[in-house]
Amino acid sequence: MKNLLKPVGVNQSYMKILIRMKLTFLLSLCGFVAVSASTYSQNTRLHIQVKDKSIIDLFREIEEKSEFYFFYQKEELANLDNVSLDRNNAKVTDILDEALKGTALEYRIVDRYIIVRKDGKGLENVESITTQQKSVSGKVTDKSGLPLPGVTVLVKGTTNGTTTNTEGEYYIVNIPEN
């Protein structure tokens, strides 16, 4: 009975080596993915060209050209002067430093989220804020119940959103608890 369970021509030490190689590869791959995710903000370079636009328009442009998402309160950005920037191959941090220079706004980057606050209020605890967020999903249909593909769904007061798939379904992550 033992001979039926053992593969023909494969000794046990070879199987152990093969398993170790697979595990080593898997762990190495996970490590590389983690390192690349954590260094995204440090390595991302953008070409940004805005002329006499609001700071919110600049944030939208950065979101379109990168994988960053901005969190801010519109009231804190309402009375700011328009900005003009023309930066090629610039880091996001350099762009934000230049755009926010002379304002009372400060920012902090956590993963791929940029939190902008007036006078830096609350930025010291942003890591805990981002972990307290949840996700929302649903389905958009017309009056007769048919799914509506391609509908834009946004979180009120933010630029965080998505579009519905062919079945009218959407899924938005990192929704603030409130």
Side-chain angles (χ1 to χ4, degrees):
M1 186 70 163
K2 282 187 175 184
N3 290 337
L4 293 176
L5 297 176
K6 184 178 177 184
V8 177
V10 177
N11 70 31
Q12 200 163 3
S13 63
Y14 176 73
M15 290 300 293
K16 286 182 182 180
I17 291 172
L18 187 62
I19 290 172
R20 285 183 185 167
M21 287 174 55
K22 287 180 180 180
L23 285 173
T24 303
F25 175 75
L26 181 64
L27 291 173
S28 298
L29 182 64
C30 290
F32 289 130
V33 168
V35 167
S36 69
S38 66
T39 60
Y40 180 80
S41 63
Q42 297 168 1
N43 296 326
T44 302
R45 296 190 175 270
L46 303 174
H47 173 71
I48 296 291
Q49 185 175 11
V50 292
K51 185 170 178 136
D52 201 32
K53 299 272 184 162
S54 72
I55 198 80
I56 294 173
D57 290 336
L58 173 66
F59 292 169
R60 286 186 186 132
E61 178 115 3
I62 292 171
E63 285 180 336
E64 288 174 10
K65 294 183 176 185
S66 69
E67 295 181 21
F68 287 107
Y69 295 100
F70 283 86
F71 290 98
Y72 55 87
Q73 293 182 339
K74 284 185 178 180
E75 306 82 46
E76 293 182 347
L77 307 179
N79 298 325
L80 294 175
D81 294 334
N82 287 349
V83 294
S84 294
L85 287 173
D86 187 7
R87 300 291 305 266
N88 191 19
N89 199 26
K91 292 182 182 179
V92 173
T93 54
D94 295 338
I95 294 168
L96 291 174
D97 288 341
E98 185 175 339
L100 300 178
K101 187 177 180 181
T103 68
L105 297 173
E106 295 179 27
Y107 69 92
R108 170 144 322 151
I109 300 176
V110 179
D111 293 327
R112 295 183 187 200
Y113 303 100
I114 302 173
I115 298 96
V116 180
R117 294 298 312 264
K118 191 172 190 174
D119 297 322
K121 293 178 184 171
L123 288 181
E124 58 277 347
N125 297 322
V126 292
E127 285 83 2
S128 64
I129 292 170
T130 57
T131 58
Q132 294 174 1
Q133 296 174 345
K134 60 180 180 174
S135 61
V136 174
S137 63
K139 186 172 186 177
V140 179
T141 59
D142 63 9
K143 290 181 182 179
S144 62
L146 295 173
L148 294 174
V151 175
T152 301
V153 181
L154 293 172
V155 177
K156 188 175 181 178
T158 70
T159 58
N160 189 11
T162 188
T163 56
T164 57
N165 64 14
T166 57
E167 302 298 318
E169 300 167 336
Y170 65 91
Y171 185 75
I172 304 174
V173 295
N174 299 318
I175 307 295
E177 286 292 328
N178 59 359

